[in-house]
Amino acid sequence: MSGQVLSEVSAVVGPDREAELVTSYRELVAGPLPDGLIRTELLRGPGGRWRVQSLWRDRAALEAVRSNPKLAAAPRLFTQVGAEPELTVFQLTASQAGLLMLD
């Protein structure tokens, strides 16, 4: 089955390392992005839980990145700040985009 997939890499990050995580993420996305990456976000949740969600063109694009340790950036971001990353992959089955209304 082909189609878009969403990868989610999450970890609990210590408060003393959060700024480093944000800086590293911003530096990462300022450079060239991998082929097949549609969108990526860094999200902060309660209890020091952080996640990088990335929408991929298809599973093959994600697997191409995951198979190369130099390209598998999200897990590396978390390990660099002393956190243990967890990966989950979701198959996109339905979506809806909202419209932004500007005055």
Side-chain angles (χ1 to χ4, degrees):
M1 175 183 240
S2 62
Q4 295 178 344
V5 295
L6 180 92
S7 64
E8 176 184 281
V9 180
S10 64
V12 174
V13 176
D16 58 325
R17 306 293 297 272
E18 289 180 342
E20 181 182 351
L21 176 67
V22 172
T23 298
S24 295
Y25 178 84
R26 287 182 175 154
E27 289 171 357
L28 176 67
V29 297
L33 298 175
D35 182 47
L37 179 62
I38 296 171
R39 184 186 80 236
T40 185
E41 296 106 8
L42 175 64
L43 306 168
R44 179 185 358 206
R49 171 74 49 188
W50 288 79
R51 66 187 58 191
V52 174
Q53 288 186 168
S54 301
L55 183 63
W56 299 89
R57 176 184 59 229
D58 52 29
R59 187 171 290 272
L62 171 60
E63 292 302 327
V65 169
R66 288 184 58 208
S67 69
N68 183 338
K70 291 182 180 180
L71 297 177
R76 190 174 62 247
L77 286 174
F78 287 114
T79 57
Q80 287 174 346
V81 296
E84 184 64 37
E86 300 173 13
L87 170 69
T88 307
V89 178
F90 300 90
Q91 179 74 41
L92 182 66
T93 58
S95 69
Q96 175 62 45
L99 298 175
L100 178 61
M101 303 297 279
L102 300 176
D103 291 332

